[in-house]
Amino acid sequence: MKIFEIQGGVCAPKGFKANGIHCGIRKNKFKRDLALIVSDVRAAAAGVYTSNLVKGAPVVVTKNNLTDGFAQAIICNSGNANTCNADGLEIAETMCSLVESAGGIARRDVIVASTGVIGQKLDIAPIDSHMDELWNGLGDNSDFAAEAIMTTDTVKKTVAVEFECGGKVCRIGAIAKGVGMVCPNMATNLIFLTSDVAITPEMLQKALSEDVKTSFNMVSVDGDQSTNDTCCIMANGLAGNELIASKGAAFTAFCKALNYCTVKLSRMLAKDGEGATKLIECRVYGADRKCTAKAVARSVIKSSLVKAAMFGADANWGRVLCAVGYAGVKVNVNAIDVSFASSKGELPVCKDGFGIEFSEELAKEILSQDEVIININLNSGSSKATAWGCDLTYDYVKINGDYRT
Amino acid sequence: MKIFEIQGGVCAPKGFKANGIHCGIRKNKFKRDLALIVSDVRAAAAGVYTSNLVKGAPVVVTKNNLTDGFAQAIICNSGNANTCNADGLEIAETMCSLVESAGGIARRDVIVASTGVIGQKLDIAPIDSHMDELWNGLGDNSDFAAEAIMTTDTVKKTVAVEFECGGKVCRIGAIAKGVGMVCPNMATNLIFLTSDVAITPEMLQKALSEDVKTSFNMVSVDGDQSTNDTCCIMANGLAGNELIASKGAAFTAFCKALNYCTVKLSRMLAKDGEGATKLIECRVYGADRKCTAKAVARSVIKSSLVKAAMFGADANWGRVLCAVGYAGVKVNVNAIDVSFASSKGELPVCKDGFGIEFSEELAKEILSQDEVIININLNSGSSKATAWGCDLTYDYVKINGDYRT
């Protein structure tokens, strides 16, 4: 099956428009802070959300609005998470109502999200007063929407693909934001996907829920699980394929294209982790079970000591083995091989759980690249998993030492 | 019951001598790197160890040597963890044999420990050639031993107390090292305790195993669980109290004095966490169960975002609530109160899960102290727990970005 990357982000699929403006939630007037994505027609919709017990009000409202499996618009602000506020639910509901007033989309068909500081009242006034401007600017503006959902992100995260599904050319597009408070076991921060595939809400939810297990849930920046994580997809059917209502070739094609997008975004999210200078990919092979491979990959990616060593391009593989050892799953320590790799080559550093001689010079060169791979072979089976993270840097501390004030 | 702090560290209890020298494992010749603690007579002994599957060779040897419940000496080097080396067990056994050769203590009665880099061969030669010097210098030198087990520790960690037990004056002394790779669910890095109490090995083990649940296992610096964590105690009975062989007033007195020492060391370990500028104490009240309180306290103390906010003296209580929410235990989010406190006063910042107005100026002042308390009242019961950690700073990254090379 062929998957082609195309331009256009969330507007690449047929029948989607987007916009992003500065409405005034953020003080910097050059920073867009309000995004809107709209489908021409009502679309099947699905979502996965944070498993944090402290849930942002928008998460509660979105989950409720998606119970019928349909949506037509996504509204999202940055600069304030609308979480832990006494009037949070009311504000989130009002954001949906404002979309209804401006564009005639039923408020129950609106996905709402917020990202930013927790526990500060979100003023609805700037959103209210800029809703017409936001609506009237809808067009091929995926990048504006991508910018508007960014917080400390340094790059826009967007992807779009074209693929064949049920004999028709179909598309998936997406934007995402991430950077801090990013940890496995949730759907990472905010990811909005669009597609023109015709699919039932049930199959769409199935595809998304399955997908995040190997994509966003395998990303960690800092081990902190956000209160507002939301990954939603709308599929409006305008590609004209036969409705996907069960498993089969068409569903498989859709899932593959979806996974292409989500893995690409996962890597982008990890690489742009707060303060990060490099992407770290941990590939675990030879596990007895899938869950073992996943637990090991995530444990290594989350280790502060591994992350700091990667920042310093220090081939301190003992820390990798240490993180394998506390992953909480049974492994045979004396069967583990470890190697570091990047565009500069691959270097074995540990064999059967013991250190082996290696060139420190080559290690330094390999680890100084902006994408580094930690290969771990457990030599105990055929299961594998990949997780993505980033290094721990001075800038992570700087960004988070004074984020709020 | 009265507990008096006294001088002398591990040499404060009757019949214990110590020493610490530079033998050459570390390059810096002004840094002691080899410690020895010896009891005049064979002592009841107990230990708790890392739960990491990757265990340092010294941990394996020590566990084995303590199966009979007795020991007479502790030898420990810094600069090399003797872990993940093919000849690790042999080297650790040899360290015990060298104590036997130098001082006539059976090698099965020796506790051995190593701390430092993982996966590099530990050369036995400098230990061998300096064993007589080490043995001959034994005396009231607890501080030399405390220095010799330090790695990136910036201060010596030592405590000693005097208390009454079974009608006799008894003592407990201790030295510890910690700083990095420190995380709950283990006995933290290296802690060596001595006592002149007469107690059976069984009761000694019981006291220690119970104790670490509320002391060292409630400390986290970076969430990384070391491969070499060892906490051992020797009790030689020279205080002359009636042998403690079961629960009762004498056992309770011993446990209280022990906990005084371990909590004090826990706070020292947390405060001297790698790069730390302050101690963070998280006190959780009003939990429905003890395990809930502990899980919440540990989750908050481990959060990178909370730690970074504390570094910046930023009253970002939303991150505290967020960490409560992903602690993995059931709590009623809408019943949670949070306050920050220090020597400058206490400031409520969150009531019933929602933000309340507070003075940013006072918050900054409170959080700028070198010991900060995060109070969390779950308002759902009467269980409580305390955990200790530190802030996340530039220096943590610096220290760990290039530790090995």
Side-chain angles (χ1 to χ4, degrees), chain A residues 235-281:
Chain A
N236 65 13
L238 294 181
N241 62 303
E242 194 186 333
L243 183 74
I244 302 172
S246 62
K247 285 188 180 182
F251 182 69
T252 301
F254 175 72
C255 289
K256 277 192 180 165
L258 179 64
N259 198 246
Y260 181 95
C261 292
T262 56
V263 165
K264 180 140 188 176
L265 290 172
S266 293
R267 292 173 56 95
M268 286 183 194
L269 287 166
K271 193 170 183 174
D272 194 31
E274 280 177 337
T277 69
K278 63 187 76 169
L279 171 71
I280 304 169
E281 182 168 302

Side-chain angles (χ1 to χ4, degrees), chain A residues 52 224 303 314 325-326 404, chain B residues 52 224 303 314 319 325-326 404:
Chain A
N52 196 314
D224 275 86
S303 160
D314 177 11
Y326 64 69
R404 199 183 51 98
Chain B
N52 196 314
D224 275 86
S303 160
D314 177 10
R319 293 181 180 170
Y326 64 69
R404 199 183 53 96

Side-chain angles (χ1 to χ4, degrees), chain B residues 213-237:
Chain B
K213 291 182 191 168
T214 60
S215 57
F216 303 124
N217 281 357
M218 294 303 280
V219 177
S220 175
V221 165
D222 51 17
D224 275 86
Q225 196 181 67
S226 164
T227 52
N228 286 48
D229 302 319
T230 301
C231 172
C232 283
I233 183 166
M234 293 194 289
N236 65 12

Side-chain angles (χ1 to χ4, degrees), chain B residues 151-173:
Chain B
T151 52
T152 51
D153 300 66
T154 65
V155 294
K156 285 193 294 278
K157 292 155 193 87
T158 177
V159 65
V161 297
E162 198 170 85
F163 57 102
E164 213 181 282
C165 177
K168 297 281 179 181
V169 174
C170 300
R171 289 148 218 98
I172 296 176

Side-chain angles (χ1 to χ4, degrees), chain B residues 65 85 116 232 312 340 364 376:
Chain B
N65 283 358
N85 299 323
C232 283
F340 294 120
K364 201 90 186 169
I376 301 171

Side-chain angles (χ1 to χ4, degrees), chain A residues 25-58:
Chain A
I25 299 166
R26 301 181 70 125
K27 288 167 198 163
N28 178 351
K29 65 179 180 179
F30 298 108
K31 170 71 180 80
R32 298 176 202 273
D33 54 16
L34 189 63
L36 184 66
I37 304 167
V38 174
S39 170
D40 289 347
V41 297
R42 208 161 168 250
V48 286
Y49 313 93
T50 180
S51 56
N52 196 314
L53 289 181
V54 179
K55 286 189 207 313

